[in-house]
Amino acid sequence: MRWASPFKLYKAGILGMNCRNVDFIGRYNLRRFYPLVDDKLKTKLLAEEYGVATPALISVVRTQHEISHVEERLMALQSFAIKPSRGSGGKGILVITGRRDDYFVKSSGTEITLEDIKRHLTNTLAGLYSLRGNPDVAIIEDLIEFDDTFEGYSYEGVPDIRIIVFRGYPVMAMLRLATHSSDGKANLHQGAVGVGLDIATGRSLKAVQFAVPIERHPDTGKPLIDMEIPDWENMLLLASRCYEMSNLGYIGTDIVLDKSRGAQLLELNARPGLSIQVANGRGLLPRLRHIERIRKPHKTAEERVAYAMQTFSASGL
Amino acid sequence: MVSRVPFYTTVAILIITGLSLAMMRHLQLGIPFWPGEQKQAWLIEARVDFVSFDQPVLASLKLPHNPPGFTLLNEVAASPGYGFAIIEHDGQRRGEWSKNQANGQQTLYYKAQLIPDKNTLETTTEPRPLARQVLWSDAEAIAASDILTQARSKSSSAESLTRELLRLLRNPEPGQNTALLLTNHSIASALDKLLNQAGIPTRVSVGLYLEDARRRQGLTQMVEIYTDDRWLAFDPQTGFQGLPENLLLWQRGGDSLLDVVGGQNSRVSFSMIEQTLPSIELAQSQFAGQGLSWLGVHTLPIEEQSMFKLLFLLPLGAMVVVFMRIIIGLKTSGTFMPILIALAFLQTSLGLGLISFISIVAMGLIIRTWLSRLNLLLVSRIATLVVLVVFLVSLLSLVGYQLGFSTGMTITFFPMIIIAWTIERMSILWEEEGPKEVLIQGGGSLLVAVFAYLIMQLPLSGHLTFNFPELNLVILAVIMLMGQYTGYKLSELRRFRAMLEQR
């Protein structure tokens, strides 16, 4: 079968891009709230205001001359992450995991100099990684020390959990594991491994890389079946609270599990991708329509999470 | 849930407006829906010859005026040294040539271009004409009343009386009465007089049978009778009623065909050829300034027109891009970059355009890798690329010219800034996502551009968008409809096929 029949896809409840854009993003995400999620700095400040845990901000570089000011600061740091505030698709994220003399070690193991970092900052400020090439701001934040549970599951970079939250209800989740071929990035189309997670339990359902089911991590060989995310309910709660925080009906929340600080919100995405369906082996559409039909949505995140855990189990909807 | 009614109403209004405007303009102005449609036209030349001896000359020729079944497209008079004017008087048109002093053989020309047009209706605004007094000689008067009595007994109306009179007059074995009348009269003038005597208003018209490549075509006299508020034509030679399709009524009633004051031996001769003209040109010259013609862009100067020609193709290109991205799911680098490339292809031709575009972008990518080491700020890096692209394009043009491609120069039609941005984007894509993604997006853009080009270069597309700009409303409606499409993209049928297989 080289092409799937559209009717079978629809029957399987698979959400297509046009449908996502028109029926969900277009209808539930008001344009004026976009800047809050498109700008990571704003998201961060908002998260702090709403008491949603996020990695600590080290510094913000807004202008070219500020780059020389942060030099000393960076030299003193062992690990950090530099992100463009309005980057898209994981572009322009530089993760430094350690130091070797004057060199900075990237998550991929490559060593780079301070000059390279400064150039990266310059590029970021000039808007190279931002959505429309607009001048941008660079955020330097604490590197997540990921939880031991994920030891050996991610080749480079941070394993993060993507949870789709629709009208405040977590509807589908997956664990994204960076691989060598994804260069430490967690985007599935770049070659990261996606592990579908059961909303009810936080256990893994299946794992895919490049849309092909796999059983072990391609780089580390760790088995991907029977994983269980610790502190699952708290993670769903964190995701669910992002609804009130962002005012957006259909969002993708990217959450990481820090060794000491627990679940941390990395970023929000107002146009979350569709490959989460592939990782879960099931379509989003039935769950989204189910939530759409709820007349009286639950008021608190706790109620919504409880409802979702009950409704969206692996054997349920 | 948002009501879709206003949306679909808008779409329906757009489609109906576009189509009906186009239809109206097609019917009213005769703009053809198909390019290259041809229409028949007649070029008729009237040649006036006379001899003059050192005298002031005034020559006056009857000109056709709203001839039924034809539309006058244009007319010119060519006669060296003569002044020419067209004078309209009493529903009659005359062309007047004048010269202060003329000597020897004189030749004047009048040319008219006419197209057959069945819609030209006879308009009789003139007051009802009256039958004239008829003068016969004594013998003729008796014969005439005999013939009339004979004809009246077999007829009930003016029309049938005319037919009956014609039958009697054209009888190959004429009776005494008709023979008498025809000794001094032609059939036409005998009929004319008889009818007037019977109280039926008539006029004698002069018609010209249109036959291709005919020289010195003779004129045919037609007798028209006025009955039931309209003129009915009879051909006294053949006895047929009505106007043959290829008969042009040059002169209708009134005075003489040709008057020459100050000349002798004057005569007029007609020659004609059949022409085929593109209907679109006919429509333009025929209906300039009429009805809905202001909607067209033909009123603009040629330079602006050619700009509009390209401009009106843009919606079509935009529709192709929307289709390719929403329905097919092709990835392109930059949303509407493909249209701009396609527009450039229109100027350069496809093969050459593709080769030069790919080579410029490839060379640009090589230069860009070197630029990235210089650690320039974004704006200045793009600007550097723009300047370098200008150099590259000039270089390619020069090389092409030296190699003998006269089309080398056309590369300059590529939008430089767009190319520079394309190179920049491709280069970042290469660094971040690898060469594969560059090929996918670059190839996608080129594919869409080629599709858009193929559709835009169709003669039909150019013709329709330029002559019926309102059809762009329909394109707009289609684009809006596609914006509401929530079905799967063609590419998603492949993307998600694995999910069905695993079930």
Side-chain angles (χ1 to χ4, degrees):
Chain A
M1 187 164 64
R2 298 176 59 83
W3 301 87
S5 144
F7 305 102
K8 283 185 184 162
L9 280 185
Y10 186 76
K11 236 177 134 186
I14 287 160
L15 179 68
M17 190 174 285
N18 292 325
C19 184
R20 177 199 72 176
N21 291 347
V22 173
D23 281 355
F24 296 100
I25 295 183
R27 196 170 297 163
Y28 292 98
N29 291 358
L30 287 184
R31 194 81 224 178
R32 62 194 158 105
F33 296 124
Y34 273 42
L36 297 181
V37 294
D38 285 343
D39 191 328
K40 285 197 186 71
L41 187 59
K42 282 188 183 156
T43 317
K44 224 172 182 34
L45 299 175
L46 198 69
E48 279 170 10
E49 188 182 320
Y50 276 78
V52 173
T54 101
L57 187 64
I58 298 173
S59 186
V60 182
V61 183
R62 291 174 203 275
T63 55
Q64 185 69 24
H65 72 266
E66 281 178 23
I67 294 179
S68 45
H69 295 292
V70 295
E71 252 175 65
E72 282 173 38
R73 195 111 192 246
L74 292 182
M75 289 309 280
L77 290 171
Q78 278 300 311
S79 62
F80 54 90
I82 298 179
K83 294 176 180 175
S85 186
R86 274 170 292 177
S88 69
K91 280 181 200 160
I93 296 180
L94 180 68
V95 177
I96 300 297
T97 51
R99 297 288 297 274
R100 199 168 297 141
D101 305 326
D102 273 355
Y103 290 100
F104 294 83
V105 185
K106 267 172 54 168
S107 53
S108 59
T110 328
E111 289 174 15
I112 57 169
T113 60
L114 185 65
E115 276 311 303
D116 291 324
I117 293 181
K118 277 164 75 178
R119 191 176 77 219
H120 186 84
L121 285 171
T122 304
N123 279 340
T124 306
L125 294 187
L128 184 55
Y129 310 110
S130 71
L131 271 178
R132 269 173 236 97
N134 293 332
D136 203 356
V137 169
I139 303 172
I140 307 174
E141 61 178 26
D142 259 358
L143 188 67
I144 299 286
E145 278 183 73
F146 56 84
D147 197 272
D148 294 335
T149 329
F150 298 120
E151 191 62 55
Y153 280 113
S154 198
Y155 178 70
E156 296 147 355
V158 191
D160 76 345
I161 291 155
R162 157 67 61 92
I163 301 173
I164 303 277
V165 179
F166 181 47
R167 300 177 78 193
Y169 296 88
V171 287
M172 202 172 267
M174 74 166 162
L175 173 67
R176 301 189 297 185
L177 304 171
T179 63
H180 181 61
S181 51
S182 78
D183 190 28
K185 304 236 166 51
N187 290 327
L188 256 57
H189 74 270
Q190 286 168 323
V193 170
V195 182
L197 299 173
D198 186 1
I199 286 283
T201 59
R203 283 175 181 278
S204 61
L205 295 167
K206 66 180 281 192
V208 292
Q209 187 189 26
F210 290 121
V212 180
I214 51 170
E215 293 189 355
R216 290 171 181 276
H217 192 282
D219 301 319
T220 62
K222 275 269 214 177
L224 298 167
I225 313 299
D226 293 328
M227 287 179 75
E228 191 173 349
I229 308 294
D231 207 15
W232 180 240
E233 197 172 344
N234 263 333
M235 204 164 276
L236 292 182
L237 275 174
L238 182 76
S240 182
R241 279 196 199 105
C242 293
Y243 170 57
E244 273 98 4
M245 178 184 124
S246 66
N247 280 313
L248 293 169
Y250 185 78
I251 41 170
T253 58
D254 292 348
I255 295 168
V256 282
L257 202 55
D258 189 273
K259 197 188 272 180
S260 48
R261 286 164 291 189
Q264 306 268 307
L265 176 70
L266 264 194
E267 64 175 296
L268 293 177
N269 198 324
R271 310 164 194 81
L274 301 167
S275 35
I276 193 166
Q277 302 179 102
V278 182
N280 274 268
R282 63 195 308 162
L284 266 167
L285 218 43
R287 296 186 178 182
L288 295 177
R289 296 290 183 215
H290 180 87
I291 298 294
E292 244 183 348
R293 278 194 294 269
I294 294 179
R295 285 285 177 81
K296 275 190 172 174
H298 301 79
K299 284 268 181 327
T300 67
E302 283 79 8
E303 284 172 322
R304 290 194 301 255
V305 167
Y307 181 80
M309 287 176 86
Q310 191 189 343
T311 319
F312 302 138
S313 62
S315 51
L317 198 64
Chain B
M1 182 134 167
V2 192
S3 165
R4 291 283 167 85
V5 176
F7 172 74
Y8 286 113
T9 323
T10 315
V11 167
I13 288 174
L14 282 177
I15 292 181
I16 292 168
T17 317
L19 287 182
S20 50
L21 262 181
M23 204 63 205
M24 271 160 73
R25 275 158 43 87
H26 171 68
L27 294 176
Q28 198 187 85
L29 304 183
I31 306 174
F33 278 130
W34 287 94
E37 207 171 273
Q38 302 272 317
K39 246 187 180 174
Q40 185 197 36
W42 289 95
L43 183 66
I44 298 160
E45 185 183 86
R47 175 179 161 160
V48 177
D49 290 291
F50 58 91
V51 186
S52 176
F53 304 101
D54 277 329
Q55 286 167 300
V57 169
L58 179 71
S60 151
L61 176 72
K62 200 70 181 275
L63 302 182
H65 184 50
N66 292 336
F70 291 90
T71 305
L72 182 69
L73 200 59
N74 61 56
E75 52 188 351
V76 288
S79 329
Y82 278 87
F84 179 74
I86 291 176
I87 289 153
E88 279 190 53
H89 182 64
D90 266 351
Q92 307 280 341
R93 262 168 26 109
R94 299 193 77 92
E96 286 195 354
W97 287 266
S98 53
K99 198 177 187 181
N100 211 6
Q101 193 92 20
N103 195 15
Q105 182 69 37
Q106 305 289 315
T107 307
L108 310 173
Y109 291 100
Y110 166 82
K111 284 185 194 171
Q113 209 172 22
L114 292 131
I115 46 172
D117 186 355
K118 298 210 174 50
N119 300 325
T120 325
L121 289 170
E122 177 107 30
T123 45
T124 41
T125 47
E126 50 202 300
R128 194 190 139 80
L130 296 172
R132 294 187 302 273
Q133 281 286 331
V134 186
L135 288 174
W136 301 102
S137 65
D138 292 346
E140 284 171 342
I142 298 164
S145 45
D146 273 2
I147 294 175
L148 269 178
T149 326
Q150 196 183 345
R152 274 210 180 104
S153 65
K154 286 185 183 171
S155 61
S156 56
S157 64
E159 216 175 316
S160 54
L161 179 70
T162 314
R163 275 199 297 271
E164 190 55 31
L165 283 173
L166 259 174
R167 198 183 62 76
L168 290 172
L169 287 171
R170 293 185 62 252
N171 196 337
E173 290 163 32
Q176 264 189 0
N177 287 330
T178 28
L180 178 69
L181 284 187
L182 290 179
T183 42
N184 277 332
H185 293 86
S186 66
I187 296 182
S189 71
L191 181 65
D192 182 50
K193 279 186 159 180
L194 283 168
L195 286 169
N196 276 293
Q197 189 178 344
I200 300 167
T202 65
R203 64 185 179 194
V204 177
S205 299
V206 177
L208 197 59
Y209 273 103
L210 299 178
E211 286 163 86
D212 192 16
R214 197 46 90 91
R215 302 182 63 208
R216 321 225 153 185
Q217 176 75 309
L219 291 164
T220 307
Q221 279 194 322
M222 299 289 285
V223 175
E224 289 184 278
I225 62 164
Y226 193 89
T227 174
D228 297 335
D229 289 335
R230 65 200 166 108
W231 288 101
L232 276 180
F234 290 86
D235 185 340
Q237 302 303 318
T238 59
F240 286 135
Q241 180 185 345
L243 277 177
E245 253 184 36
N246 63 336
L247 185 81
L248 169 72
L249 281 185
W250 190 274
Q251 178 192 1
R252 315 191 67 185
D255 34 5
S256 60
L257 176 67
L258 176 65
D259 291 327
V260 178
V261 179
Q264 293 166 15
N265 291 335
S266 63
R267 68 198 162 87
V268 56
S269 60
F270 296 91
S271 45
M272 63 203 71
I273 47 166
E274 188 180 357
Q275 298 176 313
T276 43
L277 294 181
S279 326
I280 181 73
E281 281 177 24
L282 285 182
Q284 279 168 33
S285 45
Q286 193 180 343
F287 296 104
Q290 278 186 40
L292 286 169
S293 67
W294 58 270
L295 253 180
V297 289
H298 302 293
T299 42
L300 294 172
I302 298 292
E303 206 182 329
E304 271 76 33
Q305 281 194 30
S306 53
M307 192 196 68
F308 269 106
K309 211 158 204 163
L310 272 185
L311 209 61
F312 283 139
L313 277 174
L314 272 178
L316 203 64
M319 188 176 72
V320 171
V321 170
V322 171
F323 179 81
M324 286 298 195
R325 286 179 64 114
I326 291 184
I327 313 282
I328 306 289
L330 271 181
K331 278 189 187 173
T332 61
S333 141
T335 319
F336 289 107
M337 194 261 271
I339 307 184
L340 294 169
I341 302 179
L343 279 182
F345 284 167
L346 281 181
Q347 317 268 348
T348 60
S349 88
L350 186 61
L352 193 81
L354 268 177
I355 294 171
S356 39
F357 180 77
I358 292 175
S359 45
I360 291 174
V361 171
M363 282 195 272
L365 274 176
I366 297 170
I367 296 174
R368 168 64 175 72
T369 13
W370 170 73
L371 271 182
S372 75
R373 285 197 223 131
L374 294 184
N375 192 17
L376 294 175
L377 289 172
L378 181 80
V379 183
S380 108
R381 189 170 59 225
I382 305 276
T384 314
L385 267 179
V386 171
V387 176
L388 286 173
V389 165
V390 170
F391 276 124
L392 276 178
V393 166
S394 331
L395 197 73
L396 268 185
S397 303
L398 279 177
V399 169
Y401 184 74
Q402 296 294 340
L403 286 178
F405 296 110
S406 54
T407 36
M409 293 299 176
T410 52
I411 306 178
T412 44
F413 281 112
F414 279 111
M416 314 274 173
I417 311 278
I418 298 291
I419 290 191
W421 264 109
T422 307
I423 294 170
E424 175 69 17
R425 274 218 201 87
M426 293 287 183
S427 155
I428 294 170
L429 210 60
W430 191 300
E431 280 174 16
E432 288 181 359
E433 320 252 336
K436 201 179 149 200
E437 195 66 19
V438 172
L439 278 182
I440 290 177
Q441 291 199 12
S445 304
L446 276 184
L447 202 64
V448 175
V450 169
F451 267 109
Y453 162 80
L454 287 179
I455 288 184
M456 291 198 289
Q457 58 90 40
L458 286 179
L460 182 65
S461 332
H463 171 79
L464 285 182
T465 50
F466 183 60
N467 292 301
F468 297 98
E470 61 272 17
L471 283 183
N472 282 325
L473 292 179
V474 180
I475 293 184
L476 176 66
V478 172
I479 291 176
M480 285 169 69
L481 273 181
M482 282 197 279
Q484 286 279 309
Y485 173 73
T486 57
Y488 299 105
K489 300 178 183 199
L490 200 61
S491 60
E492 284 174 338
L493 298 187
R494 276 184 76 82
R495 178 182 176 188
F496 293 124
R497 75 186 189 282
M499 291 186 65
L500 290 184
E501 280 162 7
Q502 291 154 27
R503 282 170 163 255

